[in-house]
Amino acid sequence: MTTVEIIFLGVYFTVLCVLAVYGSHRYRMAYLYYRHKFKLPTPKGVLPALPRVTIQLPIFNEMYVVERLVDSVCRIDYPRELLEIQVLDDSTDETCGIARACVERHRNKGLNIVYIHRTNRQGFKAGALEHGLKVASGEFVAVFDADFVPSPDFLQRTVPFFSDAKVGMVQVRWGHLNREFSILTQAQSIFLDGHFIIEHTARNRSGCFFNFNGTAGIWRRSTIEDAGGWQHDTLTEDLDLSYRAQLKGWQFIFLPEVISPAEVPVDMNAFKSQQHRWAKGSIQTAKKLLPTILKSDLPFVVKREAFFHLTNNMAYLLMVLLSVLMPLSMVVRFHHGLYGTLFLDLPFFVTATASVCVFYVATQREQGVSGWARLKYLPFLMSLGIGLAINNAKAVLEALLNQQSGFARTPKTGSEGKSIKRIQKSYLGTKTLMPLVELLFAAYFTGALWFAIDARIYTSVPFIILFQAGFLYVGLSSLLRGRLKSTAASAAALKPPEEQARRVA
C-alpha cells in the first residue's frame, strides 16, 4: 500500500471517528433526559399581581396563515387590560391588507391590538422584534411566528414561573398541525420532537444552557435588555440572545407538557431553506459566543454541552467528506486484499447510526408511540439526515467564511392534517442548482452499490443504500417541488377553497 493510500485511509477513519463522537453525544442526551425526567419544573412562588404582557407576532408575506395566527392569539385567556398584541408586519404582498383587516376586526371587539408596518426589513425578524419592543408596554414579551396556533391557556401556564426573579424566559414545546401530511412532514415532526422532548429537557433540567426557539416562548423584558437586546448579526437571533442571557446569569424554563401547535414545511425546498438558516445561524453564534463561553467560569459540563450544541452542524461538513471518501476507501482496500478491514468501519458507523435510532425511538416512546409505528420511520430519518448534508454543509461553510445572507423566511401554506390550500409559486421554497449536486452524489453511490454487490462486500451495502436513498430523495423532491407528497394531500390541494375551509374547521 502506497503512502498516499495510507494517508487517504487515515483521513477517512479520522472523519469517521469525529462523526462517531458527535453521534455518541445523542447517547448522553438520552441519558440526561432519563436521569432528570421526573425533575418537573414548578413555580417558585406566587406573583403578587398579574403582570402586563405584550405578545409580538413578527410576519413577512404570510397571507395564508396570518389570520389564523391573529385569531388564535386573540383567544388567549388573560385579563384584557393587561394584554397587548403587536402585529409586526414587514410584508410586501397581500398579507398587509389581510393583517390590517384582521387587527381592525379584533380592535372593534375591544382588544388592545396594534398593527405595525415597517417600510424596510432592516435586521429582518430581529429588527422587527426590536422595533416593536421600543413601543411595547408589557413587562413580559411573548413571541409567536406566523405558522403557530397557541392554546388559550398559554399565558396562564407560563407567567407563574416568573415569580422567581431569576427566571428570564419560559419556552414551551412545539406541536405539529400537519404531521400526517406526508412522509417528509412526519420526519420533520420526529426530528423536532427529539430536539424538544429529549434535548431541551435534558439540557434544561441538568443545569446546562438551552435556547429560546424564536417562537412559542415568553421573555422577561428586562432580561432581553440586560443581555444586549435583539441583535441581527446572526441568522439565529433567538439562539444568540438565549446564550447571551444565560451568560448573564438568567435562568430559563422549558415546559414540555405545554404544547403550541405549528405547521412544518410541506415542500422540500422550503425545508432545506429553513435547515440552511438554522445551520448557518448556529455556526455564526458559535463563532460569536463560544470563545466567551469557554473562557468563562462556568462549570465544565455546561461548557462541554454548549460546545456540542453550538458546533453540532459542523458534522455536516464531515458527512459530505465521508460521502466522497467512503466508496473510494472501499475500492482501495478491496484491491489490496484488505476488504476484510471494512469491519473496522462498523464500530464507527454503529456509534453514529445506532445513536440516531436510540435517540428517536426514545422520543417516540415518550409520546406513547410503540411497536412498528415507532420503528418504521427510522431508516428514512437517517437517509433524510444524510441527504441534507450538502445543503447544510454549504450553510456551515458560508458561516465559517463570513458570507452574509438575508433572513430567508420559511414559506407557510396553512397546511393542517392532510389538507393544504392552493398556494402561489412565490410561497414555495426557491429552486437552486443544489438538487443536481445531490443527484450526482446519488449516482455516485449507485456505482458504489454495484461495486459492493459485485465484489461481495455485503457489510457495506446497508450503509451505501442509506446514502444513495438520502441523496436521491432530497434531490428529486427538490426538483419536483413536493410532488412526492401523499396522494391524499395532492387530492386535497385540488379541492375548492370553501371545501378546504370546511375540512380544516
Side-chain angles (χ1 to χ4, degrees), residues 450-469:
W450 175 85
F451 176 83
I453 294 174
D454 184 64
R456 298 182 180 180
I457 311 176
Y458 298 121
T459 55
S460 291
V461 169
F463 302 111
I464 292 174
I465 291 176
L466 280 178
F467 280 74
Q468 178 203 41

Side-chain angles (χ1 to χ4, degrees), residues 91-217:
S91 299
T92 57
D93 66 358
E94 300 96 317
T95 304
C96 296
I98 298 172
R100 284 180 187 273
C102 192
V103 167
E104 188 63 28
R105 174 161 49 86
H106 286 288
R107 279 187 67 84
N108 291 337
K109 295 179 181 179
L111 274 77
N112 181 10
I113 181 170
V114 295
Y115 177 84
I116 301 175
H117 184 263
R118 295 196 304 167
T119 56
N120 62 72
R121 291 192 72 201
Q122 183 177 358
F124 304 105
K125 179 181 175 181
L129 294 171
E130 182 182 36
H131 180 71
L133 200 59
K134 293 177 182 178
V135 295
S137 61
E139 302 169 58
F140 297 89
V141 182
V143 181
F144 289 100
D145 282 348
D147 51 329
F148 276 73
V149 183
S151 60
D153 63 351
F154 172 80
L155 292 179
Q156 293 178 3
R157 302 182 70 178
T158 55
V159 168
F161 286 89
F162 291 103
S163 59
D164 184 347
K166 297 179 181 179
V167 172
M169 191 278 298
V170 178
Q171 172 74 53
V172 307
R173 177 156 63 98
W174 294 4
H176 317 294
L177 293 169
N178 58 339
R179 176 191 288 267
E180 305 297 330
F181 184 81
S182 68
I183 191 171
L184 177 61
T185 57
Q186 283 277 10
Q188 291 177 71
S189 299
I190 295 173
F191 282 144
L192 288 170
D193 288 342
H195 173 65
F196 281 93
I197 296 174
I198 304 294
E199 290 184 324
H200 263 10
T201 302
R203 291 188 178 114
N204 184 220
R205 297 184 187 177
S206 65
C208 295
F209 288 1
F210 86 104
N211 62 291
F212 169 60
N213 292 97
T215 178

Side-chain angles (χ1 to χ4, degrees), residues 200-258:
H200 263 10
T201 302
R203 291 188 178 114
N204 184 220
R205 297 184 187 177
S206 65
C208 295
F209 288 1
F210 86 104
N211 62 291
F212 169 60
N213 292 97
T215 178
I218 178 170
W219 286 82
R220 188 187 297 271
R221 182 172 180 166
S222 58
T223 301
I224 298 175
E225 295 166 349
D226 183 50
W230 293 107
Q231 298 175 8
H232 42 82
D233 52 348
T234 75
L235 291 179
T236 47
E237 72 293 324
D238 45 9
L239 179 64
D240 174 30
L241 179 59
S242 297
Y243 268 80
R244 283 188 280 117
Q246 289 168 107
L247 278 168
K248 285 280 189 175
W250 290 98
Q251 296 177 6
F252 287 5
I253 301 292
F254 175 57
L255 302 177
E257 70 279 6
V258 183

Side-chain angles (χ1 to χ4, degrees), residues 38-55:
F38 298 106
K39 192 189 293 184
L40 304 177
T42 56
K44 292 294 177 67
V46 179
L47 288 164
L50 286 177
R52 189 169 183 81
V53 175
T54 295
I55 300 179

